[in-house]
Amino acid sequence: MALLNSEDWYDIARDTNWTPRYVSEQALFPKELSDVLEMPLELLETFDEPYKVTYRDYVKTQREKDVGAYSVKAALARSQMYENASPGWKALLQMHFGAVSFLEYHSVSAFARMTRFGRAPGMRNMATFGSLDEMRHAQVHLYFAYEYLAKSRTFDWAQKAPRTDNWVIISERHTFDDLEHTRDAISAAIMTNFAFETAFTNLQFIALSADAANCGDFSFSTMLQSIQSDEARHAQIGEPLLKMMIDSGRKAEAQKLIDISFWRCWKQFSALSGTCMDYYTPLDKREGSFKEFMNEWILDQFVAKLEDMGMEKPWYWDLLLEDIEVFHHAQQLGIYLYRPTEWWHPIAGTNPAERAWLEEKYPGWNDTFGQVWDVIIENIRAGRLDSTIPKTLPMLCNMHGLELTGVPGRKWNLKDHTLDYQGRRYHFQSVVDKWIFEQEPERYAGHLSLIDRVAQGIVAPDGVMEHMNMAPEEYGIEGTNYAWVEAYDDALTTRRATGT
Amino acid sequence: MSNFPVVCGFEGDYGFKVLMVDRSSTMDDVCAVAADLLAGVVVRPVAPTERLRVRLPDATEPLPPTLTVAEAGFIELETIEIYREPRVLAAVRNDA
């Protein structure tokens, strides 16, 4: 029997809207869950996804992707890749699987919510595939992490992380609950599919995939590529919706959603990917700096996409460009210093050769971030290892949830942007983080960071690790056993010998 | 145990830290806590020729060294800056 071409039946097959008779349209699609801006149904029904796929083709393609990823994994199972990997690459894998696996799993329900409450049939169709995508991503993450479990208990955090109040996990949850899980279907799609997936997943999945291949970690590289091919498809849910918002006079609302989401995602990816690319990836395996990748893959492409859609760059663009130079360097310092509070084993990534690279890529690094590293290096060389871990808690931002940082050293610039709201003082790293809070204070006001919990007496200062559900054997330890500092001794010996 | 948290930006540090002090702590006490926990850990040690001072963000003048946290009207998680001042200058101020 001859099959119809998919273009002959696709549109009618996914036209699944109907007129409800037993409940009202409003009860079926409450605006708080469907579309707070109440775009006309006739407009939403014109949703036309740029990338069309049938279920039959979807399953066939996904099966091939899974076969590819799992086959590479199986083939390399005895390759000793992990055992032979650098401490930095091990740290990167440990951090990635703990930080990302549960986000993939949570995204299943985010897409499912779009499927249930989206009023555009085409959107529901695409979101269904999105949910299936995210199930696959969660499964492949958990499977790969499980395989690593025999090599390091840190990979247990792929399963454990979402059930903890670890400060890194709280920060991620705060961000992605805001964008994906606590908005109406349209807003969540603009924030997740357009601002997050279109702009940022390239960073984690393409750049990291290239670095993984360079490091000989072909199974991780293949896994990331496999995931990114899904992201590129379901990210397209956002574009038709954005166009509808513009066409129906809701451009300002769309712009605000993008501005909020882009900044929130930037902070997460800067801390996660920025530290991995500029500190954890071995120097000779790096494709480029985090800043270079941001400029080429994120800023240029995202701006082009925004302009193509008739949107503006976020209002804080100049602040973003400044932040790209500094934020992840400050976070790397904090991650290294507070390593017992993390499930992975951080490395410094600042031996003399790595510092020269950082100074070349980020002129002024030695006069700023390098000044704090000098103190750390001095302590390690003098055997004062206790002094390389602060005995006081860091302040956390009440928006991004990570350390409230600035620029250290000779160009010291550390600002706390505070806001008093309903009898409580909130602390923000930047005017952008504060601005996001001010757009909808009731959304954010109840949240307590780990520091707020200590300040309010909910958690005792000496009970923080227990509160984060971290047993002593899970505390992060120095990934190199401080071996990186030996290069400074060698450099000093050379300088003394040559009189330079 | 001290139980009044202040948010401390120590000159030269990469990020704010939370210091636990008392309402009765003077600004010099706060500096001593900061020096004990942060100098030689994230910023270089305090030299004998320097003394630490407390100021509010964007202020040009330090708070008096004997002023207490309560007298300063700090709320919990008040943000302060701690910076180094040459003792010579402190002597001119007559509070070295």
Side-chain angles (χ1 to χ4, degrees):
Chain A
M1 188 175 75
L3 290 174
L4 286 172
N5 291 325
S6 60
E7 58 266 28
D8 295 331
W9 57 265
Y10 186 92
D11 286 343
I12 196 167
R14 68 133 154 75
D15 183 9
T16 52
N17 269 3
W18 72 100
T19 305
R21 286 188 295 160
Y22 301 105
V23 294
S24 67
E25 183 83 15
Q26 197 175 27
L28 188 58
F29 293 108
K31 71 173 190 177
E32 294 78 11
L33 291 166
S34 289
D35 176 18
V36 290
L37 297 177
E38 299 183 278
M39 285 198 283
L41 181 59
E42 311 80 65
L43 178 65
L44 288 167
E45 287 180 333
T46 65
F47 181 103
D48 192 29
E49 61 274 31
Y51 186 103
K52 293 180 171 58
V53 62
T54 66
Y55 183 69
R56 179 191 294 265
D57 290 339
Y58 174 83
V59 171
K60 181 172 181 291
T61 306
Q62 299 303 93
R63 182 181 178 281
E64 286 166 3
K65 287 181 193 173
D66 265 2
V67 167
Y70 287 94
S71 298
V72 172
K73 178 74 179 163
L76 297 173
R78 294 190 183 85
S79 69
Q80 302 288 305
M81 189 291 302
Y82 186 83
E83 288 80 355
N84 296 328
S86 68
W89 194 255
K90 287 176 181 167
L92 182 151
L93 291 173
Q94 295 160 359
M95 181 215 267
H96 176 92
F97 282 101
V100 177
S101 301
F102 83 94
L103 292 180
E104 299 284 10
Y105 180 64
H106 285 194
S107 292
V108 176
S109 69
F111 277 95
R113 203 170 295 107
M114 289 180 211
T115 302
R116 166 60 183 84
F117 292 105
R119 300 185 72 199
M123 175 190 179
R124 292 200 296 266
N125 198 41
M126 291 295 287
T128 304
F129 291 134
S131 261
L132 295 172
D133 289 341
E134 301 298 353
M135 277 184 209
R136 194 175 80 84
H137 301 174
Q139 286 168 348
V140 73
H141 266 86
L142 293 175
Y143 178 80
F144 276 46
Y146 181 76
E147 290 278 294
Y148 280 131
L149 202 50
K151 305 177 192 297
S152 169
R153 68 172 299 154
T154 56
F155 291 97
D156 187 35
W157 277 70
Q159 293 273 359
K160 179 176 177 177
R163 292 184 294 280
T164 74
D165 276 334
N166 178 277
W167 66 277
V168 179
I169 303 303
I170 292 174
S171 164
E172 288 184 273
R173 272 204 301 257
H174 188 281
T175 300
F176 292 101
D177 280 3
D178 185 16
L179 311 184
E180 286 191 314
H181 301 289
T182 57
R183 308 245 179 196
D184 63 283
I186 303 282
S187 300
I190 297 294
M191 296 178 112
T192 304
N193 304 132
F194 187 78
F196 166 35
E197 292 181 333
T198 303
F200 280 102
T201 54
N202 276 342
L203 193 61
Q204 188 67 0
F205 295 120
I206 290 186
L208 196 53
S209 174
D211 282 342
N214 286 343
C215 288
D217 191 349
F218 296 108
S219 59
F220 190 51
S221 176
T222 306
M223 184 195 89
L224 294 169
Q225 284 174 19
S226 175
I227 289 172
Q228 180 55 19
S229 62
D230 290 349
E231 301 286 342
R233 171 173 32 74
H234 65 231
Q236 296 181 31
I237 293 174
E239 279 184 45
L241 294 173
L242 187 55
K243 186 169 184 314
M244 288 177 191
M245 291 182 80
I246 297 168
D247 292 347
S248 62
R250 293 165 174 85
K251 180 179 171 181
E253 291 87 345
Q255 184 77 50
K256 187 194 281 187
L257 292 173
I258 291 169
D259 290 0
I260 292 171
S261 180
F262 189 84
W263 185 262
R264 301 217 63 183
C265 293
W266 150 248
K267 287 296 184 186
Q268 291 295 316
F269 276 82
S270 179
L272 179 69
S273 306
T275 51
C276 286
M277 292 173 73
D278 283 352
Y279 292 89
Y280 287 9
T281 302
L283 193 54
D284 61 336
K285 310 294 186 195
R286 291 176 194 169
E287 288 266 310
S289 71
F290 175 64
K291 180 173 72 175
E292 288 164 345
F293 195 88
M294 276 296 297
N295 281 323
E296 181 182 346
W297 283 85
I298 309 298
L299 303 190
D300 290 352
Q301 289 192 14
F302 191 61
V303 169
K305 176 75 78 177
L306 282 173
E307 290 173 348
D308 187 46
M309 299 290 295
M311 302 298 290
E312 316 294 330
K313 282 190 287 199
W315 61 268
Y316 47 73
W317 204 252
D318 291 343
L319 297 172
L320 173 72
L321 297 179
E322 290 174 18
D323 216 33
I324 289 171
E325 302 277 350
V326 296
F327 183 68
H328 67 296
H329 297 303
Q331 293 302 310
Q332 164 67 1
L333 272 164
I335 287 169
Y336 184 79
L337 287 162
Y338 287 100
R339 52 196 175 278
T341 67
E342 294 132 22
W343 64 86
W344 67 97
H345 300 322
I347 67 157
T350 53
N351 70 29
E354 290 161 337
R355 283 179 77 138
W357 183 89
L358 285 161
E359 180 66 30
E360 180 197 331
K361 298 294 184 183
Y362 301 90
W365 187 93
N366 274 315
D367 274 343
T368 50
F369 303 96
Q371 299 293 300
V372 183
W373 284 107
D374 283 342
V375 177
I376 297 168
I377 291 162
E378 195 59 35
N379 283 329
I380 297 171
R381 294 182 69 203
R384 297 187 296 266
L385 299 184
D386 272 4
S387 294
T388 66
I389 301 173
K391 292 174 183 59
T392 187
L393 294 169
M395 188 58 189
L396 305 177
C397 172
N398 280 125
M399 184 51 64
H400 61 59
L402 302 166
E403 271 197 72
L404 210 166
T405 57
V407 179
R410 298 193 177 105
K411 297 174 184 172
W412 190 58
N413 185 11
L414 187 58
K415 299 286 180 207
D416 181 8
H417 299 269
T418 60
L419 176 73
D420 291 338
Y421 179 76
Q422 293 185 344
R424 180 178 156 195
R425 178 160 294 180
Y426 294 85
H427 301 259
F428 303 102
Q429 166 141 13
S430 69
V431 293
V432 188
D433 293 293
K434 184 178 173 182
W435 172 80
I436 293 171
F437 185 96
E438 288 172 326
Q439 299 314 298
E440 209 177 338
E442 63 278 13
R443 166 178 287 271
Y444 304 107
H447 187 266
L448 298 174
S449 74
L450 193 61
I451 299 306
D452 294 322
R453 298 173 202 193
V454 173
Q456 294 189 13
I458 299 168
V459 179
D462 59 359
V464 167
M465 300 302 281
E466 189 180 357
H467 181 76
M468 293 197 298
N469 197 9
M470 294 193 74
E473 57 272 22
E474 293 178 291
Y475 294 4
I477 56 173
E478 220 280 350
T480 69
N481 199 23
Y482 307 99
W484 61 282
V485 175
E486 291 167 11
Y488 285 92
D489 297 332
D490 296 342
L492 189 64
T493 305
T494 305
R495 280 207 300 275
R496 281 177 180 154
T498 58
T500 56
Chain B
M1 196 166 88
S2 300
N3 62 0
F4 190 90
V6 293
V7 178
C8 163
F10 198 128
E11 183 181 17
D13 193 5
Y14 72 94
F16 286 97
K17 304 293 188 295
V18 180
L19 302 182
M20 299 305 270
V21 297
D22 296 307
R23 290 177 195 277
S24 59
S25 300
T26 66
M27 295 303 133
D28 267 355
D29 294 335
V30 174
C31 289
V33 172
D36 182 45
L37 294 173
L38 300 173
V41 177
V42 288
V43 294
R44 63 176 172 78
V46 181
T49 56
E50 300 169 330
R51 66 163 296 166
L52 297 180
R53 308 302 301 254
V54 177
R55 71 183 169 210
L56 294 173
D58 300 321
T60 52
E61 290 296 312
L63 295 170
T66 56
L67 185 73
T68 66
V69 165
E71 289 166 349
F74 285 2
I75 63 168
E76 290 196 344
L77 296 177
E78 185 79 40
T79 307
I80 57 169
E81 292 180 357
I82 292 187
Y83 67 103
R84 299 162 200 264
E85 186 178 68
R87 284 198 178 273
V88 177
L89 186 57
V92 172
R93 267 187 222 284
N94 205 23
D95 59 6

